[in-house]
């Protein structure tokens, strides 16, 4: 039996979406989504790589608590930070390293939901000089404007318009828009899940000189940094939470369209 030392019963914690041991070569390199101690793609939320717990399980299995769990700092609202183990921390990684290397970068966000909105908030807080958020949903655009972004319902590629592009739509045509709008040696971060084939402007990408990254995120490695940003008061992830709903109403409420619902226990 392994003794857990970093957390205690009753602590509020962030649980990363991928299962990771913390000690294999990949984990030590920060590649926690590719842990070699578990089957490939072991995760919460989908029966892939073993049974660890589903999207709305009462109980989930955390095999390496010291490696995986991150205590939620005092003062942070657990409802506002419900996505800290996945989308919030992913959104930080999509922009923070690039703005550190290129202060004041111009950022294009092509999105359809919460990830893009988190990106707008984080990019503004970290000093982006310009943020353009593209989304057909007027309510999403209104939220993005509240984060200081310019918005558009649709967009044609803006040649050499942005230093960094974030694509979070799952549509290859929108990925093509993103890479087609990059400045020379620009970076495109895509959250992937492109289930249909499509074409990218490869020659133009070559001539411009762009870097494209499509990947599942290794969130555990940077959860502490993302929580530090949340504690700073420079960001407001709570604004993306569209509904706070009772856990017991989940079966009825889940089929409805919500931007970012959070389900809580009545006695929580």
């Amino acid at each position: 039996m392994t003794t857990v030392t970093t957390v205690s019963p009753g602590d509020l914690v962030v649980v990363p979406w991928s299962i990771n041991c913390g000690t294999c070569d990949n984990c030590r390199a920060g590649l926690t989504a590719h842990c070699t101690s578990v089957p490939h793609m072991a995760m919460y939320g989908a029966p892939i790589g073993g049974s660890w717990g589903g999207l709305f399980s009462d109980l989930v299995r955390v095999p390496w608590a010291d490696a995986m769990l991150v205590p939620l700092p005092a003062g942070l609202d657990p409802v506002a930070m419900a996505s800290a183990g996945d989308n919030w921390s992913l959104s930080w990684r999509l922009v923070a390293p690039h703005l550190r290397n290129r202060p004041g970068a111009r950022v294009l966000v092509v999105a359809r939901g919460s990830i893009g909105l988190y990106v707008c908030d984080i990019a503004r807080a970290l000093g982006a000089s310009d943020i353009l958020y593209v989304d057909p949903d007027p309510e999403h655009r209104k939220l993005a404007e509240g984060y200081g972004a310019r918005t558009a319902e649709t967009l044609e590629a803006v040649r050499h318009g942005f230093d960094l592009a974030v694509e979070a739509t799952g549509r290859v045509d929108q990925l093509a828009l993103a890479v087609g709008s990059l400045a020379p040696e620009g970076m495109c971060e895509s959250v992937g899940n492109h289930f249909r084939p499509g074409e990218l402007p490869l020659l133009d990408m070559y001539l411009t000189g762009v870097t494209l990254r499509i990947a599942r995120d290794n969130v555990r490695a940077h959860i502490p940094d993302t929580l530090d940003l949340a504690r700073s008061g420079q960001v407001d992830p709570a604004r993306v939470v569209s509904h706070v709903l009772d856990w017991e109403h989940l079966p009825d409420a889940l089929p409805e369209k919500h931007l970012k619902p959070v389900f809580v226990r009545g006695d929580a």
Side-chain angles (χ1 to χ4, degrees), residues 73-162:
L76 285 182
D77 178 6
V79 171
M81 301 309 300
S83 288
D86 192 353
N87 288 355
W88 167 257
S89 296
L90 162 64
S91 300
W92 180 93
R93 201 274 303 156
L94 293 173
V95 291
H98 305 299
L99 285 168
R100 186 184 303 122
N101 294 330
R102 190 178 295 194
R106 300 163 295 167
V107 180
L108 171 65
V109 184
V110 185
R112 293 294 186 271
S114 62
I115 292 174
L117 294 169
Y118 287 144
V119 166
C120 289
D121 189 20
I122 295 168
R124 173 198 49 79
L126 299 182
S129 62
D130 180 36
I131 306 167
L132 176 59
Y133 176 83
V134 183
D135 187 329
D137 189 299
E139 292 300 318
H140 297 175
R141 296 198 303 273
K142 184 177 179 180
L143 281 170
E145 289 165 2
Y147 285 138
R150 298 185 293 122
T151 65
E153 180 177 358
T154 61
L155 187 73
E156 296 295 326
V158 181
R159 182 170 175 79
H160 295 181
F162 300 91

Side-chain angles (χ1 to χ4, degrees), residues 131-205:
I131 306 167
L132 176 59
Y133 176 83
V134 183
D135 187 329
D137 189 299
E139 292 300 318
H140 297 175
R141 296 198 303 273
K142 184 177 179 180
L143 281 170
E145 289 165 2
Y147 285 138
R150 298 185 293 122
T151 65
E153 180 177 358
T154 61
L155 187 73
E156 296 295 326
V158 181
R159 182 170 175 79
H160 295 181
F162 300 91
D163 306 298
L164 171 65
V166 175
E167 182 271 323
T169 68
R171 296 176 50 182
V172 179
D173 64 326
Q174 297 302 291
L175 177 57
L177 161 66
V179 296
S181 298
L182 286 173
E185 300 303 328
M187 176 76 189
C188 179
E189 291 275 10
S190 172
V191 301
N193 291 328
H194 300 100
F195 295 104
R196 296 182 179 180
E199 295 184 357
L200 295 178
L202 297 178
L203 178 59
D204 185 63
M205 293 167 64

Side-chain angles (χ1 to χ4, degrees), residues 217-242:
D217 197 48
N218 304 288
V219 298
R220 177 57 184 88
H222 45 258
I223 286 176
D225 288 331
T226 69
L227 295 178
D228 284 345
L229 178 61
R231 293 176 65 191
S232 73
Q234 300 177 73
V235 292
D236 189 7
R239 294 168 61 183
V240 177
V241 176
S242 58

